[in-house]
Amino acid sequence: VQVVESGGGLVQAGGSLRLSCGASGSIFRISTMAWYRQAPGNQRELVARVTSGGTTNYADSVKGRFTISRDSAKNTVYLQMNSLKPEDTAVYYCNVQARAGLGFSDRDFWGQGTQVTVSS
């Protein structure tokens, strides 16, 4: 399974960005899709996730500003980021939990990451 993110970049505080992540390859079923981020010197942290049933969870720091959504037909997940703050600066990683077929267990797959930089 290949996971590819896009949409990062440099934006001023208060601005918006939309990240996209697509999964491809030997996929039988995708359960949870999520976005994580890691800032220099910090551990990787969960930003938002969405289950196959559409249930979403957000980190407290992004609630009300970020929205996660998925297009299951396209194996794609999005992260709309509004009212960005300098502390949102990080490398954002897409995580996909998927299985290759019946009888297989879910496995974690990660993208290469996309840089988001918010200037003050």
Side-chain angles (χ1 to χ4, degrees):
V1 176
Q2 295 78 44
V3 177
V4 179
E5 306 104 333
S6 62
L10 173 64
V11 65
Q12 288 187 331
S16 298
L17 282 175
R18 188 188 193 216
L19 305 183
S20 299
C21 168
S24 61
S26 300
I27 299 172
F28 173 72
R29 178 179 178 271
I30 293 177
S31 54
T32 301
M33 304 183 83
W35 289 96
Y36 287 74
R37 68 186 180 186
Q38 187 168 18
N42 291 355
Q43 291 187 334
R44 191 172 297 189
E45 63 175 0
L46 175 68
V47 176
R49 63 184 168 199
V50 56
T51 68
S52 56
T55 300
T56 57
N57 298 99
Y58 295 92
D60 288 342
S61 58
V62 307
K63 283 180 181 177
R65 300 188 297 121
F66 291 11
T67 302
I68 189 169
S69 60
R70 68 188 279 175
D71 184 337
S72 294
K74 296 181 179 179
N75 291 339
T76 300
V77 63
Y78 306 96
L79 186 68
Q80 178 66 44
M81 305 185 293
N82 299 327
S83 302
L84 282 160
K85 304 175 181 180
E87 51 264 43
D88 294 318
T89 296
V91 177
Y92 284 70
Y93 296 91
C94 179
N95 171 264
V96 173
Q97 292 182 349
R99 60 184 65 183
L102 284 173
F104 286 76
S105 300
D106 279 351
R107 287 182 55 195
D108 278 314
F109 298 92
W110 293 90
Q112 79 286 353
T114 185
Q115 177 70 46
V116 171
T117 303
V118 184
S119 63
S120 57

